[in-house]
Amino acid sequence: MKRLFKKIIVLLLQTEAKLVLRKYKPKIVAITGSVGKTSSKDAIYTALTTAFFVRKSSKSFNSEIGVPLTILGLPNAWDDPKLWLKNLIDGLNLFLFPHKYPEWLVIEVGADRPGDIKSVAKWLKPDIAIVTRLSEVPVHVEFFNSAEQVRQEKAELVLAASDKSTVILNADDNLVSSMRPMAKGRVLTYGMDTGADVVGSDFGLTYDMNNSKCPIGVSFAVNIADQKIPVEIHGTLGKQQMYIALAALTVAKALNLNLEDVARGLRDHDAPPGRARVLPGANNSCIIDDSYNSSPVAVHEALDTLSLVKTKGRKIAVLGDILELGVHSKREHEKVGEKTVRIADELYTVGTRAKGIHDAAIEAGLPKEKAFWFSDSEEAGAALKKVVGEGDVVLVKGSQGIRTEKVVKAILDESVNPSNALVRQEEEWKNR
């Protein structure tokens, strides 16, 4: 019964969304990939708001329900039939009566299972289609026959773009750049590859000279034709932030926006919770909160970020299960453990699969007294809270299902409001 109800809701929402698109004719930026979709979506929104009235997907609304909800500007009603009825009435009113509607929509398109993007692409025709980054072992691979099938699914967004559209690809990712021949119209690329149209260079972390216990963000240069534009992004860390900004600036280039204005806007771009955000921790520690989700490529990038941080304290990695890896799970967790030894002074792991990270790290040389395993995030957070101290830098990362934001909450400085700073603070999540 619940499944039938969902199918009916999806059908009605998509019908209303199609009608609204036909009526208001907004331009559409659609984004997919295995890494960086949501953060790129938010940065592109920041870039476009320098010149247009824009709406973006709320949080990570990227599913068969999330995409039409974004188009209609409606919230997720979760399991409340009355709120779904209200949503449907509001969506119909949007079509029947005049409203001020955005000039641009920035929409994230995800794929949990085969056919997800193809289904949306049948009716969502992007003016700009972006593929951020894939990986040889992406999340959700257990629902696909192979990583190549994941690539083919993501490529459906490129195939949906018309000959009048622009396709933007990450030139540093071979799986993504191989989609170029599929594009019917203009193609722009970004990356650190000097052959890309928009090139990033000179990456580094930035610090507040008056308070150097935590980095405050990242800096790099963006090279477009004969322009070299300095960019700083505050409040979040990692080389992935450069790729996110490059995607936004490539969109700006496609639309002939003022690139320096866009770069300035990105400086104080508010990164989404749980995406490598820098937060003050208890006892004058520093937290790198990357708790939104995890994948093999993303956790390796997070560890790379931890390796770059300068600190007089300990580097502590808190790593949870990486879910939905299927037959790849055991080896991918072991590889993370082997890498962690070279970067972290102490390791806290959370979840049954993450025991593989713990064991591999010890096998690779991490002293047993520096490695701790917990069955859930509450236990890990409580244990870490007792020992975290001044100058410690704590990286927290795990898949959504392991809820590592609970670790962050346990060691967060009391001056910070968790409801505003952390991911999954809605009542629906707290009750799970």
Side-chain angles (χ1 to χ4, degrees):
M1 187 68 181
K2 190 174 181 179
R3 186 175 297 178
L4 176 62
F5 177 75
K6 181 181 177 181
K7 285 184 176 180
I8 294 171
I9 291 295
V10 168
L11 178 62
L12 292 174
L13 286 174
Q14 288 187 355
T15 300
E16 291 185 348
K18 293 173 189 177
L19 292 172
V20 166
L21 291 179
R22 191 179 305 168
K23 176 177 180 177
Y24 294 101
K25 297 180 174 55
K27 300 289 186 180
I28 296 173
V29 178
I31 308 158
T32 195
S34 298
V35 180
K37 291 190 302 294
T38 302
S39 297
S40 296
K41 174 256 298 181
D42 289 340
I44 291 164
Y45 170 83
T46 296
L48 290 180
T49 52
T50 62
F52 303 106
F53 174 32
V54 190
R55 175 187 295 157
K56 65 178 178 178
S57 299
S58 174
K59 298 178 182 177
S60 56
F61 272 16
N62 61 27
S63 64
E64 60 184 356
I65 288 181
V67 171
L69 284 178
T70 298
I71 293 167
L72 298 171
L74 299 173
N76 191 338
W78 299 92
D79 296 323
D80 188 337
K82 291 182 179 178
L83 188 51
W84 279 121
L85 178 60
K86 181 180 183 302
N87 274 349
L88 292 171
I89 293 171
D90 289 344
L92 186 60
N93 284 337
L94 182 61
F95 171 68
L96 293 176
F97 303 103
H99 288 75
K100 185 179 181 182
Y101 195 81
E103 300 167 272
W104 281 88
L105 299 175
V106 185
I107 296 176
E108 182 180 335
V109 184
D112 290 340
R113 289 171 171 78
D116 282 355
I117 293 180
K118 188 173 184 179
S119 175
V120 172
K122 286 179 180 177
W123 58 272
L124 185 75
K125 302 301 179 183
D127 296 278
I128 298 177
I130 303 172
V131 186
T132 58
R133 186 172 180 183
L134 305 181
S135 71
E136 293 181 2
V137 186
V139 289
H140 310 312
V141 74
E142 67 176 327
F143 301 115
F144 293 82
N145 293 328
S146 66
E148 171 58 23
Q149 190 180 22
V150 176
R151 187 194 76 89
Q152 292 174 0
E153 184 66 27
K154 303 292 186 179
E156 291 293 339
L157 193 64
V158 175
L159 294 171
S162 73
D163 57 358
K164 296 179 181 179
S165 301
T166 298
V167 170
I168 296 176
L169 303 173
N170 185 334
D172 294 347
D173 187 312
N174 291 332
L175 291 171
V176 174
S177 59
S178 70
M179 298 178 189
R180 185 170 193 141
M182 302 177 187
K184 305 177 187 72
R186 177 170 65 156
V187 177
L188 293 175
T189 58
Y190 66 90
M192 296 183 69
D193 187 325
T194 54
D197 296 295
V198 179
V199 180
S201 64
D202 306 319
F203 176 83
L205 303 186
T206 56
Y207 294 81
D208 182 347
M209 299 305 293
N210 298 318
N211 180 9
S212 60
K213 71 178 180 182
C214 280
I216 60 171
V218 299
S219 64
F220 49 92
V222 176
N223 306 274
I224 304 176
D226 58 351
Q227 275 187 287
K228 186 171 185 177
I229 304 168
V231 178
E232 287 189 15
I233 298 179
H234 290 174
T236 186
L237 302 181
K239 190 166 282 188
Q240 66 270 29
Q241 306 307 326
M242 179 173 68
Y243 282 101
I244 289 160
L246 290 175
L249 284 159
T250 308
V251 171
K253 173 180 168 61
L255 299 176
N256 295 315
L257 300 183
N258 186 303
L259 299 176
E260 293 182 351
D261 285 349
V262 171
R264 280 192 292 271
L266 290 172
R267 177 187 176 97
D268 297 312
H269 165 68
D270 190 14
R275 272 81 161 192
R277 288 182 70 172
V278 185
L279 299 172
N283 303 321
N284 290 315
S285 63
C286 175
I287 305 169
I288 304 173
D289 176 15
D290 210 10
S291 60
Y292 172 72
N293 210 348
S294 191
S295 69
V297 66
V299 74
H300 283 283
E301 286 182 345
L303 287 167
D304 288 341
T305 299
L306 182 61
S307 72
L308 294 175
V309 176
K310 301 172 185 176
T311 180
K312 295 179 180 178
R314 297 167 295 175
K315 293 185 180 181
I316 302 172
V318 181
L319 305 175
D321 287 353
I322 311 171
L323 303 177
E324 301 177 349
L325 296 181
V327 297
H328 303 280
S329 182
K330 183 176 184 295
R331 182 58 190 141
E332 291 304 315
H333 283 84
E334 290 173 347
K335 284 158 67 175
V336 171
E338 291 161 4
K339 180 169 183 171
T340 303
V341 174
R342 304 192 298 270
I343 296 167
D345 301 304
E346 294 186 10
L347 171 64
Y348 287 64
T349 51
V350 186
T352 54
R353 296 165 184 80
K355 186 67 161 57
I357 300 176
H358 171 275
D359 294 345
I362 293 174
E363 182 70 22
L366 186 68
K368 289 184 179 180
E369 63 271 18
K370 301 293 184 181
F372 311 91
W373 175 82
F374 302 89
S375 61
D376 60 53
S377 291
E378 289 93 338
E379 290 181 8
L384 186 56
K385 186 176 182 179
K386 295 176 182 178
V387 299
V388 69
E390 184 167 0
D392 290 344
V393 177
V394 185
L395 166 68
V396 182
K397 188 162 187 67
S399 282
Q400 178 175 281
I402 207 68
R403 305 296 301 281
T404 50
E405 75 274 5
K406 294 180 180 181
V407 177
V408 181
K409 187 174 182 178
I411 62 171
L412 195 63
D413 186 87
E414 61 183 14
S415 66
V416 181
N417 183 347
S419 298
N420 298 330
L422 306 186
V423 71
R424 291 184 287 272
Q425 296 304 295
E426 301 87 350
E427 288 303 317
E428 291 83 359
W429 279 108
K430 289 181 179 180
N431 295 330
R432 292 188 183 189

